[in-house]
Amino acid sequence: MKSNLTAEQIVNYLCQQCEASLQFLQSLCQQKMFPEHLLRNKELCEKGGVLFLARAILKLNVIPPFVESSRVVAAVSRLKAKVLSILLSLCESESLSYLDDVASSPGSLDLAKSVALEVFGLLKTGLGRDPKHPRQGQEIQKELQII
């Protein structure tokens, strides 16, 4: 059976699947005990598993064939927002410090620095525009979707 799905539909479907997984992880992080259990997992914290995931998602860029697709741009923006929310939940954990775990290993510390650079890059994209340069409504909307 031959599929009639377009590339945009396939990318959108993959983004939806990734978003569903991140949504599940995000909902777990909002439960009181889960972040603490996660923080005790050496593979995910000290060895950088969560940071690898965050960096991979934050590095996602919408390439030219899909830049005009508001669905794909919005999906990638939601992925980035969810992974930032997950990182924030871990950093705000009360009993164990995610940041201390990350800092305890040179490898995960370097990875954390690269994640921070990606976050700063997103902020620079969103906030680094010349306020005197008038922009069209569609241009502003696309920039907000990217962030």
Side-chain angles (χ1 to χ4, degrees):
M1 183 173 189
K2 191 172 183 177
S3 175
N4 291 328
L5 294 176
T6 66
E8 179 185 345
Q9 290 171 324
I10 293 169
V11 168
N12 190 50
Y13 174 77
L14 292 172
C15 285
Q16 287 175 351
Q17 296 304 307
C18 187
E19 186 177 358
S21 298
L22 285 176
Q23 179 65 41
F24 178 69
L25 185 57
Q26 183 182 25
S27 68
L28 289 174
C29 284
Q30 292 172 350
Q31 296 177 13
K32 184 162 179 66
M33 297 304 291
F34 182 78
E36 294 175 17
H37 291 298
L38 186 66
L39 290 172
R40 288 188 183 107
N41 185 309
K42 302 297 181 195
E43 286 293 320
L44 293 176
C45 290
E46 282 182 29
K47 295 188 179 180
V50 172
L51 291 173
F52 279 118
L53 173 67
R55 184 177 65 180
I57 290 173
L58 292 173
K59 282 184 167 279
L60 287 176
N61 290 316
V62 181
I63 57 175
F66 305 107
V67 172
E68 298 301 318
S69 169
S70 60
R71 288 178 10 174
V72 172
V73 171
V76 170
S77 295
R78 287 191 308 271
L79 291 175
K80 290 179 181 186
K82 285 188 188 322
V83 82
L84 288 173
S85 175
I86 290 167
L87 287 175
L88 181 62
S89 293
L90 293 175
C91 290
E92 290 178 336
S93 180
E94 294 176 7
S95 65
L96 296 173
S97 173
Y98 180 67
L99 298 176
D100 288 343
D101 277 355
V102 166
S104 69
S105 163
S108 62
L109 184 59
D110 289 340
L111 189 55
K113 289 177 186 176
S114 73
V115 169
L117 287 174
E118 290 297 322
V119 172
F120 291 139
L122 288 172
L123 289 172
K124 183 178 178 183
T125 298
L127 301 174
R129 305 286 187 219
D130 182 3
K132 295 177 185 175
H133 177 269
R135 292 174 288 177
Q136 301 296 327
Q138 287 181 325
E139 185 181 346
I140 293 170
Q141 184 178 9
K142 281 187 181 182
E143 289 173 5
L144 290 174
Q145 287 175 340
I146 290 170
I147 294 173

